[in-house]
Amino acid sequence: MSPVRTIAVAGASLAGLNAIEGLRDSGFEGRIVAVGAEDHLPYDRPPLSKEVLAGAADPASTALRDPDHLDSLDIDWELGRSAVGLDVDERSLRLDDGRSVGFDGLVIATGASPRKLPTSRSEGRSGPGQPEMDGLFLLRTLEDSITLGAELAKQPRVVVVGAGFIGSEVAATARSRGCEVTVLEVAPVPLAHALGEEMGRAVSALHGDHGVEVRCGVGVEGFEGAGRVERVRLADGSAVEADVVVVGVGVAPQTDWLDGSGLTVAPLSEGGGVVCDEACVAAPGVVAAGDVARWRNPLFGEVTRVEHWDNAIQQGRHAAGNLVRWLAGGEPEPFAPVPWFWSDQYDAKIQYAGRAAPTDEVTVIDGSVDARKFAAVYGREGRVVGVLAIDRPRPVALLRRRIAEGVTVDEAVKEFGR
Ligand SMILES: Cc1cc2nc3c(=O)[nH]c(=O)nc-3n(C[C@H](O)[C@H](O)[C@H](O)COP(=O)(O)OP(=O)(O)OC[C@H]3O[C@@H](n4cnc5c(N)ncnc54)[C@H](O)[C@@H]3O)c2cc1C
């Protein structure tokens, strides 16, 4: 009888859970050890900036699976435990309590954590740094959301630093709770790096519609207050009064624990992440998935890292399938998705699919930008490489599939009749 094989999964959240399900669905019957730094069984993060933060959903409702289903997966959980080291040659994962887990295969799914405001010496960027001060918040975990939600219930004056998707959702939720909200964005146009200027303006206009002021092109100089934040000082010499400040300036993949492992980790200045090949393989028998994984997506011919809910699911499953294939002596398959995400802000549902660049040409194919209900495609050399919509789910659902088939801008325009 062959010995029981072990697959270790580092990171017990969305990508890790989907990898575990992918392992079982691919026929892996051996031992699965799931190591998760949080005390919780896997839970969902999108509600943390939406329903849970709004106080409209029970935090327990974020559980990703019911206990019976988790039992059926037969997982050895190591929760509240971090992986602190990896020896790829020895096939061993070191835990923070000094124990080691030997493995035949490993899934790295340690996700990302919120970035703090940089100091002038860190990350090559200038900034005020982020002092340890009451009233200053980051948002990633269930506890973060519950704590911040309790603050928002007091209807404080809220400043959100960063007009990205998480910052914008926090601003919208805070507004829905009756807070006075100001959003600060250092770039001249919010989201322009991701959506281009025209669409960045179109999406961030939602804030103005709901009485939230967005101040662009001005950096944060520092925070003032006696123990607790009272105001945010800006680089132009002005200040914004605040009882609560939420910093949403992006995330950094959780890769510190891989120092010395022999795996390649991209520098943060290049986007960070565990460097994998097209099949999400970081080393023989080691795959990565979700927010932490950097891989070459053959569909767009680019090396990328995707911080979307759907990607964590698809990539977790795909990487797990490849690991099982590898254990059986087979060839791993490339992971070539059309990335997709949504963001709920105020009463609008924003959706985006593809990999557009700010230089792509934008064509509105349905609805009206001014009415904040539209779908627009991003074209490169006549082909659709991305689609963005507010409250227009159908074009996104259809074009998402057809981007992979090489649909042209002309075809998209014809189909949606504009
Ligand atoms: C507030 C919020 C709202 C969001 N809303 C949306 C949305 O509307 N739409 C959308 O598409 N996406 C959204 N996302 C993004 C989406 O939730 C993430 O892309 C997804 O959670 C990534 O899953 P993951 O498993 O790769 O990483 P994570 O969810 O970050 O999970 C990684 C897990 O690994 C653990 N871990 C880290 N280091 C170690 C270690 N060394 N050892 C053991 N465990 C470790 C972490 O504690 C964490 O539990 C949102 C994210 C947040 C935070």
Side-chain angles (χ1 to χ4, degrees), residues 21 47 82 86 90 101 116 118-119 122 127 136 146 150 175 199 201 242 260 288 307 323 349 355 378 397 401 414:
E21 290 174 335
S82 291
L86 169 66
E90 292 290 323
V101 176
K116 293 186 172 173
T119 62
S122 70
L136 228 61
I146 292 169
R175 190 73 190 130
M199 290 295 115
R201 263 193 211 97
E307 298 164 359
L323 193 51
K349 188 161 209 83
R355 291 296 297 173
Y378 292 82
R401 256 184 289 123
K414 241 182 246 150

Side-chain angles (χ1 to χ4, degrees), residues 19-305:
I20 290 168
E21 290 174 335
L23 293 171
R24 292 298 186 219
D25 289 349
S26 305
F28 180 72
E29 291 179 348
R31 179 173 174 242
I32 295 177
V33 183
V35 183
E38 296 183 76
D39 289 325
H40 307 282
L41 287 165
Y43 64 89
D44 215 12
R45 288 182 211 279
L48 305 185
S49 49
K50 308 175 186 74
E51 299 87 349
V52 172
L53 192 62
D58 179 354
S61 67
T62 59
L64 277 166
R65 302 289 186 270
D66 68 55
D68 288 347
H69 173 74
L70 292 177
D71 279 352
S72 75
L73 294 170
D74 192 15
I75 303 162
D76 290 354
W77 295 104
E78 292 284 355
L79 296 180
R81 281 269 82 84
S82 291
V84 292
L86 169 66
D87 189 324
V88 173
D89 295 331
E90 292 290 323
R91 309 222 151 259
S92 165
L93 197 63
R94 198 154 41 81
L95 307 189
D96 59 359
D97 62 356
R99 286 179 300 144
S100 290
V101 176
F103 60 79
D104 300 282
L106 171 67
V107 180
I108 297 174
T110 45
S113 59
R115 292 169 85 151
K116 293 186 172 173
L117 287 167
T119 62
S120 48
R121 283 172 300 283
S122 70
E123 301 174 29
R125 298 189 289 163
S126 64
Q130 198 161 315
E132 288 298 319
M133 211 174 194
D134 286 347
L136 228 61
F137 296 88
L138 297 166
L139 178 58
R140 185 77 188 179
T141 66
L142 194 52
E143 287 78 7
D144 294 340
S145 179
I146 292 169
T147 310
L148 179 57
E151 291 284 333
L152 296 187
K154 300 177 210 159
Q155 299 193 323
R157 292 164 302 177
V158 177
V159 169
V160 177
V161 182
F165 286 102
I166 300 288
S168 293
E169 289 189 355
V170 170
T173 301
R175 190 73 190 130
S176 76
R177 298 196 76 160
C179 304
E180 189 186 298
V181 184
T182 307
V183 178
L184 304 174
E185 171 57 56
V186 71
V189 178
L191 297 168
H193 65 287
L195 305 179
E197 292 205 357
E198 186 187 350
M199 290 295 115
R201 263 193 211 97
V203 170
S204 59
L206 289 166
H207 293 302
D209 295 349
H210 292 84
V212 168
E213 189 190 358
V214 184
R215 294 185 62 177
C216 293
V218 61
V220 172
E221 190 78 7
F223 301 93
E224 290 175 2
R228 183 174 177 109
V229 71
E230 290 170 18
R231 78 193 54 79
V232 185
R233 249 185 311 110
L234 304 182
D236 63 3
S238 64
V240 186
E241 302 292 312
D243 308 302
V244 162
V245 176
V246 186
V247 175
V249 293
V251 297
Q254 303 244 46
T255 50
D256 287 356
W257 66 281
L258 293 168
D259 285 352
S261 65
L263 296 185
T264 307
V265 173
L268 208 47
S269 57
E270 289 167 23
V274 178
V275 176
C276 302
D277 65 12
E278 290 189 349
C280 313
V281 175
V286 180
V287 296
D291 284 12
V292 78
R294 184 172 194 79
W295 92 109
R296 187 174 179 285
N297 182 341
L299 190 60
F300 295 91
E302 63 170 5
V303 175
T304 184
R305 195 171 62 72

